[in-house]
Amino acid sequence: MAEQIGQRSSGGHTGGGHTGGGHSGGGYAGGRSEGGPRAPRPAGGGGPGGPGGRKFFRRKKVCKFCVEKIDGVNYKDVRLLQGFVAESGKIVPRRLTGVCTRHQRRVSAAIKQARNIALLPFSNR
Amino acid sequence: MQRIYEVMFIVRPDMADEDLDKLIVALESQVTTAGGTVKAKEKMGKRRLAYRVGGFLDGFYVLLTLEGGGELVHEIERRLRVTEPVIKFITVRMDEEQKRLDKMKKLRDAKKRSAPAPVATATPEAPTAQAEAAPGEPAAVTA
């Protein structure tokens, strides 16, 4: 009996983990996987991607950088970065902006650099 | 030793222009004595800071692009730390990023060149035909 209970609990634990499920699509193969087909996987678009529990379809958001083919994200272009920062100064999650993983990481790094040089605030009230 | 660094620093806003120029010149000479080169220098002007730094709400931004080794950056940063008017600085290494950007640009250009080649050859034929037809009419009228 004890063994059965033990097995059931361990099975539940592994089932509920969310560690591996976060990274959808390509882009996390060590960071330097450039060239080849840069197929922009729209991040988390469509019905099953909505983590907020929405019943209806959210229209597919495309990654702004993949579509406009913007290559480098610099900490210096504050205008561009301000589109990815909330009013409170927080970095907006990519499920709201529709950015792909690769570019979200770059935007995030650029925002942190800009914050360090007082181009963007750490927090706004 | 071809590392490219961008050093951006903020100088207090009530500093005189000549002093700022002297400071920049001193930094540049330090770079050249240490064996590096200054690729670009840009005074970005007075800007409002996003938060209060050292009691100031505005600052004068300066951007230096250097090429050199790691010890050079160490020395420059040490100088900036010691200099009283400089209130903040950040050094970013840019050569890997630059390499990646150049590579992407090359890929993009190669793609562009291969794609519109058939279109480019077709269009010159049409204007030349029209050019021949157009002077034909006024020439006939004058004659």
Side-chain angles (χ1 to χ4, degrees):
Chain A
M1 273 272 274
E3 283 177 359
Q4 283 179 359
I5 294 173
Q7 282 174 356
R8 212 182 303 143
S9 64
S10 68
H13 197 256
T14 49
H18 66 91
T19 44
H23 292 285
S24 64
Y28 199 62
R32 282 299 143 97
S33 49
E34 311 290 343
R38 276 181 93 208
R41 295 271 199 97
R54 299 284 166 104
K55 292 279 174 67
F56 45 88
F57 254 79
R58 195 173 305 200
R59 59 174 180 88
K60 262 193 170 15
K61 269 187 175 288
V62 282
C63 170
K64 173 181 170 162
F65 297 94
C66 293
V67 163
E68 294 173 21
K69 309 269 197 239
I70 303 174
D71 269 335
V73 186
N74 221 333
Y75 64 97
K76 294 189 286 278
D77 34 11
V78 182
R79 289 285 143 79
L80 175 68
L81 293 177
Q82 263 169 350
F84 297 95
V85 165
E87 272 197 20
S88 55
K90 295 186 186 180
I91 302 179
V92 183
R94 82 182 175 98
R95 62 187 158 86
L96 295 183
T97 53
V99 182
C100 69
T101 330
R102 185 185 281 174
H103 289 117
Q104 176 69 7
R105 263 185 286 124
R106 293 206 194 122
V107 162
S108 204
I111 291 175
K112 290 173 186 174
Q113 278 174 346
R115 282 176 176 171
N116 268 317
I117 196 68
L119 288 168
L120 283 175
F122 281 100
S123 96
N124 253 338
R125 218 162 294 283
Chain B
M1 218 193 74
Q2 291 307 315
R3 297 181 179 189
I4 302 182
Y5 294 97
E6 275 189 5
V7 181
M8 187 186 277
F9 58 93
I10 312 178
V11 175
R12 47 190 291 174
D14 49 8
M15 192 181 177
D17 265 341
E18 318 88 48
D19 292 338
L20 178 62
D21 289 329
K22 269 196 274 187
L23 168 68
I24 296 180
V25 164
L27 284 173
E28 286 181 347
S29 59
Q30 175 63 35
V31 169
T32 42
T33 48
T37 44
V38 177
K39 295 197 94 176
K41 70 173 176 199
E42 186 187 341
K43 287 199 213 167
M44 295 172 61
K46 200 178 280 194
R47 280 186 71 127
R48 203 185 146 83
L49 300 177
Y51 47 88
R52 187 187 291 261
V53 180
F56 297 106
L57 292 170
D58 295 325
F60 198 96
Y61 279 78
V62 183
L63 175 66
L64 287 178
T65 311
L66 315 171
E67 184 171 345
E71 318 82 33
L72 165 69
V73 169
H74 253 293
E75 185 56 36
I76 294 290
E77 285 198 347
R78 189 192 66 84
R79 289 222 158 190
L80 287 174
R81 237 183 291 262
V82 161
T83 318
E84 200 266 321
V86 172
I87 47 178
K88 226 183 207 317
F89 63 88
I90 184 174
T91 317
V92 182
R93 186 167 162 187
M94 293 301 275
D95 49 309
E96 298 286 328
E97 178 77 10
Q98 198 58 42
K99 259 202 284 189
R100 193 182 60 86
L101 287 177
D102 292 340
K103 185 167 143 188
M104 296 312 301
K105 193 159 185 300
K106 256 203 277 192
L107 280 173
R108 292 259 168 78
D109 288 343
K111 266 196 220 169
K112 258 196 237 175
R113 239 173 273 135
S114 59
V119 181
T121 50
T123 42
E125 295 178 24
T128 49
Q130 284 176 2
E132 280 181 88
E137 284 180 20
V141 171
T142 52

